[in-house]
Amino acid sequence: MSTTTTLTPGAFELNDVQQQILNEAERFSREQLLPLAQKMDDTEECPDDLFDLFARHGYLGITIPEEYGGQGLGLFEQGLICQAMGKYNASAMLTWGAHDNLCANNIYRNANDDIKQRYLPGMCNGSIIGALGLTEPGAGSDALGSMATTAVQDGDEYILNGAKTYITNGPIADIVLVYAKTDLAAGHRGITAFVLETDTPGFAVAQKLSKMGYRGSPTAELVFDDCRVPAANMVGELNGGVGVVMSGLDVERIFLAPAAVGMAERCLELSMEHATTRKQFDKPIIDFQAIEFKLADMWIGVELAKAYTYRVLAMCAEADESDAGHGAIHAHSAAAILYATKMMREVADESVQVHGGAGYMWEMEINRLYRDAKLLEIGAGTQEVRRGIVGKYLRGTMG
């Protein structure tokens, strides 16, 4: 557990160490990632040396202990870095997050030491790129119940057959933390997680997918055709994949909430700059009350979401593994990303309005943020799923 995660009880301000981490991550993201953003969006690709860049500046393995080559920090610090990266290059943030949080952090929390020793050092130095393989072509919100990918044991191996879709880092991943049915009769209780190396015969990238937003973060459909995975690559227990999934989903949700905060901060920043320099009727448009009110509402939304996000980040960072997937942690992580991403979409929409016709142009940064905003209301559980989680929690507290 990181020693820097705890917020002062009742307060929502960062301490000096946390503020320094955020400031340095913002400097890195502004200087190194922002200049890459437009080309990544235009080409729908990330630079070949992106993970080398992350590694050189110490932004891989944030939550991984130093014994595996990581930084030995906590979820709170990882969230602050996510906020900074989201602010200046959301595509780079998503690619980094899928690797560092969804894959590496999940392996660290759930895998045995042999798997950790084989994969985590490479994930921390950038020589191994990771992805998470959960969603399938016929499944969405019911990712577990509708799972059709199977893993059948054959000696000391499992044979995987099936497909995964909307997989961030799919086209560039060296390993995929993949979920498959190992007991067809057990429904969603018969799912197991494996680390699959993508040079395994039978694995293929079926197609690279073109998206509305986060275009610089490569996404793909993956297929497994009699793909053999060593039983030694099983993460967690046989038929224990649900526990692995649920422990990761709460972390994923609260991890993405600060990304929404950072993106909204950038929208506000760009809108302030535009409103003070753009003149109409012989004065800056910020002098018009209609624009001033929009900026005020944006700022209020950002600050409220930031305070709640930091609170829940601290809760999750200090929580025991057994707290994940149910109860207050489950509800608050869902509520935090629901609120932050709704705020982000509304702020992005108002920011385009402040920019007027210029904001509608594809090459404008505010246009890219507007297109990026929607994904965070869908990924890691839709807004409807998040509301359902909160609703069930509230009904449970009434009993």
Side-chain angles (χ1 to χ4, degrees):
M1 183 181 296
S2 170
T3 58
T4 61
T5 57
T6 306
L7 287 170
T8 303
F12 304 104
E13 295 293 331
L14 302 180
N15 63 37
D16 290 343
V17 174
Q18 293 162 347
Q19 190 64 57
Q20 183 179 358
I21 289 172
L22 178 58
N23 291 346
E24 181 57 28
E26 283 202 352
R27 184 199 62 78
F28 163 75
S29 300
R30 184 174 57 253
E31 294 178 1
Q32 301 293 331
L33 300 182
L34 180 59
L36 305 174
Q38 186 63 55
K39 184 177 180 181
M40 290 174 66
D41 190 66
D42 290 341
T43 63
E44 297 188 76
E45 294 180 353
C46 65
D48 292 338
D49 62 349
L50 183 62
F51 279 85
D52 291 335
L53 179 66
F54 289 144
R56 287 199 310 272
H57 290 269
Y59 288 109
L60 292 181
I62 301 301
T63 60
I64 308 303
E66 294 180 9
E67 64 182 291
Y68 299 111
Q71 303 300 318
L73 298 174
L75 177 64
F76 196 97
E77 292 79 15
Q78 193 179 48
L80 294 178
I81 294 165
C82 186
Q83 177 182 331
M85 288 189 185
K87 184 174 183 178
Y88 291 108
N89 188 328
S91 287
M93 175 277 298
L94 193 65
T95 287
W96 166 80
H99 167 92
D100 213 61
N101 181 277
L102 306 191
C103 190
N105 188 58
N106 229 334
I107 288 173
Y108 169 66
R109 287 184 296 106
N110 294 286
N112 59 38
D113 192 59
D114 172 63
I115 292 176
K116 294 176 186 178
Q117 293 286 357
R118 283 191 282 131
Y119 296 113
L120 289 181
M123 298 190 78
C124 292
N125 66 29
S127 62
I128 295 175
I129 298 173
L132 176 70
L134 177 62
T135 303
E136 299 190 357
S141 296
D142 186 22
L144 299 177
S146 301
M147 188 173 294
T149 298
T150 60
V152 178
Q153 188 168 12
D154 182 24
D156 59 357
E157 295 179 319
Y158 281 81
I159 303 174
L160 268 65
N161 282 284
K164 302 291 179 178
T165 196
Y166 309 138
I167 306 304
T168 303
N169 292 352
I172 62 173
D174 299 297
I175 63 171
V176 180
L177 179 59
V178 62
Y179 294 85
K181 284 279 187 71
T182 43
D183 186 344
L184 298 180
H188 69 278
R189 295 296 175 184
I191 293 171
T192 305
F194 300 89
V195 175
L196 170 74
E197 298 180 10
T198 58
D199 60 359
T200 301
F203 171 86
V205 176
Q207 59 176 326
K208 182 179 177 182
L209 302 173
S210 183
K211 308 187 297 296
M212 175 175 73
Y214 291 92
R215 289 163 56 82
S217 179
T219 305
E221 180 178 345
L222 312 179
V223 295
F224 313 93
D225 184 10
D226 289 338
C227 193
R228 290 182 172 269
V229 182
N233 278 26
M234 183 184 297
V235 175
E237 301 295 326
L238 178 65
N239 299 326
V242 169
V244 178
V245 170
M246 295 312 297
S247 69
L249 275 176
D250 283 346
V251 172
E252 180 185 356
R253 287 182 179 121
I254 192 54
F255 171 77
L256 288 175
V261 170
M263 293 166 67
E265 285 182 319
R266 183 59 175 167
C267 287
L268 176 58
E269 194 174 88
L270 291 169
S271 296
M272 287 291 295
E273 291 174 1
H274 183 79
T276 53
T277 56
R278 171 68 168 166
K279 290 186 175 182
Q280 291 289 281
F281 306 101
D282 297 323
K283 60 182 179 180
I285 62 173
I286 197 171
D287 289 349
F288 294 96
Q289 193 175 66
I291 301 299
E292 184 181 55
F293 282 7
K294 288 182 185 297
L295 297 171
D297 287 342
M298 289 182 210
W299 181 82
I300 292 167
V302 169
E303 291 303 308
L304 288 173
K306 185 186 300 183
Y308 185 42
T309 293
Y310 285 175
R311 177 193 172 197
V312 180
L313 264 175
M315 289 172 60
C316 291
E318 298 295 332
D320 184 85
E321 287 291 328
S322 62
D323 294 327
H326 62 89
I329 293 295
H330 195 44
H332 278 290
S333 63
I337 188 171
L338 189 156
Y339 186 82
T341 55
K342 180 175 182 289
M343 176 276 301
M344 164 56 195
R345 194 227 329 133
E346 292 171 351
V347 167
D349 184 70
E350 287 287 59
S351 295
V352 171
Q353 196 71 19
V354 169
H355 281 73
Y360 200 67
M361 298 299 104
W362 186 270
E363 70 273 9
M364 293 290 287
E365 185 178 355
I366 198 65
N367 182 282
R368 184 170 66 247
L369 285 160
Y370 179 84
R371 289 183 280 112
D372 289 343
K374 188 60 186 176
L375 175 63
L376 295 186
E377 292 192 300
I378 300 171
T382 63
Q383 299 293 66
E384 292 75 18
V385 167
R386 295 161 188 169
R387 285 186 172 90
I389 290 170
V390 175
K392 287 182 177 65
Y393 172 72
L394 292 176
R395 293 203 307 273
T397 62
M398 294 175 65

